[in-house]
Structures are given as C-alpha cells and as structure tokens.
Amino acid sequence: MRQEIDLRSDTLTKPTPAMRTAMAEAEVGDAVIDIDPTVERLEHLTAEILGKEAAVFMPSGSMTNQVAVRVHCDRGSEFICEQDCHIYQYEQGAFASLSGLVAKTIPGQGGVLKPEHLRGQVRASNDHFVRTRLLCLENTHNRGGGRILPQSDVIESCQWAKSEGLATHLDGARLWNAAAATGKSEAELAAPFDSVSVCFSKGLGAPVGSALVGSRDFIEQARRTRKLFGGGMRQAGIIAAGALYAIENHRDRLVEDHEHAKQLGEVFSSHEGFSIRGDCIDTNIVAVEIAPNLGTADSWVARLEEQGVRCFAISDQAIRFVTHLDIHSG
C-alpha cells in the first residue's frame, strides 16, 4: 500500500506509546470541584517554564485566547492585533460574540507587527470612540509561515503598549517552536507579556489541550471565565498527562521538524514558479506561493493528494505544509 504523508497540520500527531502509558497511568481527581493532581502538576510546570506566577489548563488554544482577551478587556472595548493573526482569522470572531469586543487589525510584514506599525493606533479619550485596552501578538505566526517575531521588536512593542496603558497578550500556540529555533528560553520569549497562551497538541504531540499563563490574580479571573465558557473539566488528568509528558520529553526534538521543513522548502524553491512566503522558513511551517501559470492552490492540493501527500490551500495561490513528529526523513 502507498504510504500517505500528511502535512496538513502538526495537530495530526498521534500520542507516542510512552505518552499513552503516561495517560493510562495518570493520577486523577475532579478538577472542577477539587483538584486533579496531574492537571495541577502540568499547570505548575507550565507556569515555571514560561516564567509566570500561575497557569490554567484548557481544552483548546481558541479558548485560552478568548479567555485572555475577555479578562483583559471590558465589553465594548478594542484590542489591537495583526490582520492575519489566529485570534482574528480562525476563531469565528468569538471576541465579538462572547465578549462584545472589537478588533483593530493592522497589516504587518509577513505577520510581524513592528513598533512603527503601532504608534498612533490607540484611540483618543472621547465619548464617541471605542476604548483601546489590549495588544495581541502571535509567535510563531501561523499565516506568516511559522514566522518568529524578532524579540527586540516584541520588547519595544510591549513597552509601547505599557506606556499607552494597554495590557499585552501573546498567542504562543507554537512558542515552543520559537524557543527551539532561537535558543531563547520560553520564559525569555514570554517575559514582555501580561499573559501567554501555549498549545500542547501541535508540535509537542499531545492529543488535547492548551494553557494560559499570567499573574495569580489574572489566572484566578481566567478560571472563572473558563467555567463561563464551558471549559471546566473533571478527571482531566488523563489528557493533562499527555501534555505533561510532551513538555518534559518533546521540546528538544522540535529542531528535527524545523530541519524537515527547510528540506521541503528547498525542493520547492529549486523549481521555477514556486516561492516561499517571506523568503525564509523559521520553524515547521512551509507556506508555498504558486505562480498563476502553474495552476491554483486547490489544483495543487488535489495533484499532491493523488501522490499521497496531503496539505492545505491557504489562499488562491498558496499551499501550506507543516512538519511534525510523525513525519520522518529518508
């Protein structure tokens, strides 16, 4: 039988045998009315790795992001974000539906918002205007092709936000990849932000879950909002054990995924009519732009699938490949 190579997303990873064992043997409790000890260990370790006071475990990164923006903002206020970021593009406008918020989107450079893009973007104090409350960044940037935000820009942007009285949130679903690629610790990358969301079910290979980190007071409010959004889980240690195993064992190997992504990018770059979005591959996402004379993204997705290679079209003329721990070279 032909072997299928599924590069649609790093969420396709299956739990490793050792991870399955950890999940099967997890110590559990009712995490809503009491404490689940495995969830508690995961939250403590995640907060420690990211250099924050506390963390709360949730089912998804969309929930951690939406809880964060709700806690940071009052209803009828506004947050600033890059126009192609996940919170704006891929979460159904939940910030409006659930929390009554407005997003002010700003085009970046390949997904990267630089300090000069932000200056002058805070609304004046006026009864006619929405109030600006929050700056959201994304690292790595999904639609930017897994782009890593330059840390100097991050620091300057967050300093600007603080000077304007804004809170700061990082959608760090793939922050683990940024740390592996740059050699900077997750804590260093997270330090400029008031809150950070990280995902366990992408490159790290856990089956379920994300975490939101921040100050103890912020996380206390986040737990209440998680309950409001239906995110309270009972014997969640079974899934938390997979995430705990992932952050203890799978972070260092992310560099293998990055190398595989670069190899894939080199293949496309060597053929006329194909180019890499942003002209570089920072981590495990390869966004390939296709010249119109070669056909559409949808046509190439179909052609590749016929050969056993699966990917996604992300625009009329671009397809995306994501390497992960279930993809091997050779």
Side-chain angles (χ1 to χ4, degrees):
M1 293 180 61
R2 183 184 64 186
Q3 183 179 7
E4 182 179 272
I5 302 173
D6 200 332
L7 295 164
R8 289 175 296 169
S9 176
D10 43 9
T11 59
L12 291 159
T13 55
K14 305 292 194 302
T16 63
M19 185 183 289
R20 288 180 181 271
T21 298
M23 294 170 69
E25 296 177 353
E27 183 182 5
V28 299
D30 191 318
V32 175
I33 65 171
D34 197 6
I35 292 174
D36 182 299
T38 305
V39 171
E40 187 177 45
R41 286 197 295 273
L42 172 63
E43 290 174 344
H44 286 169
L45 180 57
T46 303
E48 179 183 335
I49 291 171
L50 291 165
K52 302 298 183 185
E53 290 181 347
V56 57
F57 183 49
M58 301 191 201
S60 72
S62 291
M63 182 174 283
T64 50
N65 281 334
Q66 293 305 320
V67 166
V69 298
R70 185 183 180 98
V71 173
H72 283 306
C73 301
D74 49 323
R75 291 186 69 85
S77 61
E78 169 188 77
F79 65 92
I80 296 170
C81 63
E82 202 277 329
Q83 68 177 8
D84 279 331
C85 74
H86 193 280
I87 290 176
Y88 184 73
Q89 291 284 350
Y90 294 124
E91 298 180 17
Q92 288 193 19
F95 50 83
S97 297
L98 300 176
S99 301
L101 303 178
V102 177
K104 184 173 189 176
T105 60
I106 300 173
Q109 295 177 0
V112 177
L113 273 184
K114 292 186 171 291
E116 55 265 30
H117 298 143
L118 299 171
R119 298 187 184 100
Q121 296 295 337
V122 175
R123 307 278 184 176
S125 179
N126 185 299
D127 287 348
H128 298 283
F129 299 156
V130 67
R131 292 175 293 185
T132 311
R133 294 300 196 204
L134 174 68
L135 170 66
C136 294
L137 300 179
E138 182 180 343
N139 194 19
T140 66
H141 195 289
N142 182 351
R143 285 179 63 84
R147 187 58 33 79
I148 297 171
L149 305 189
Q151 189 66 1
S152 59
D153 288 343
V154 169
I155 292 170
E156 188 175 347
S157 295
C158 289
Q159 289 173 340
W160 166 86
K162 185 176 181 179
S163 73
E164 296 284 352
L166 308 185
T168 53
H169 172 68
L170 175 65
D171 177 358
R174 294 183 174 90
L175 191 66
W176 316 108
N177 293 88
T182 63
K184 298 181 187 297
S185 71
E186 292 87 351
E188 181 179 356
L189 296 174
F193 297 93
D194 295 308
S195 64
V196 180
S197 167
V198 290
C199 185
F200 306 117
S201 64
K202 293 186 171 70
L204 295 186
V208 182
S210 290
L212 180 64
V213 302
S215 69
R216 288 188 180 87
D217 288 345
F218 175 84
I219 294 301
E220 183 178 350
Q221 295 179 67
R223 286 186 187 278
R224 287 187 57 82
T225 306
R226 180 187 66 170
K227 176 65 174 175
L228 176 68
F229 288 175
M233 299 178 285
R234 302 295 180 175
Q235 287 74 33
I238 292 174
I239 55 174
L244 189 60
Y245 183 90
I247 59 175
E248 290 178 330
N249 294 278
H250 289 173
R251 287 153 60 205
D252 290 344
R253 61 147 309 280
L254 289 171
V255 294
E256 299 175 23
D257 298 340
H258 302 168
E259 181 57 35
H260 293 159
K262 287 181 173 60
Q263 292 172 4
L264 182 60
E266 288 169 1
V267 171
F268 277 100
S269 297
S270 66
H271 290 79
E272 187 175 352
F274 296 97
S275 61
I276 304 302
R277 180 173 290 183
D279 295 323
C280 66
I281 297 170
D282 287 351
T283 52
N284 67 323
I285 299 177
V286 185
V288 180
E289 305 280 359
I290 305 166
N293 65 295
L294 295 182
T296 65
D298 285 339
S299 69
W300 275 94
V301 168
R303 291 175 66 179
L304 288 166
E305 189 155 353
E306 289 175 358
Q307 302 300 315
V309 178
R310 307 194 72 184
C311 60
F312 275 142
I314 56 173
S315 73
D316 290 344
Q317 296 300 141
I319 53 180
R320 186 190 80 163
F321 304 86
V322 187
T323 56
H324 50 80
L325 65 82
D326 287 345
I327 299 298
H328 308 284
S329 60

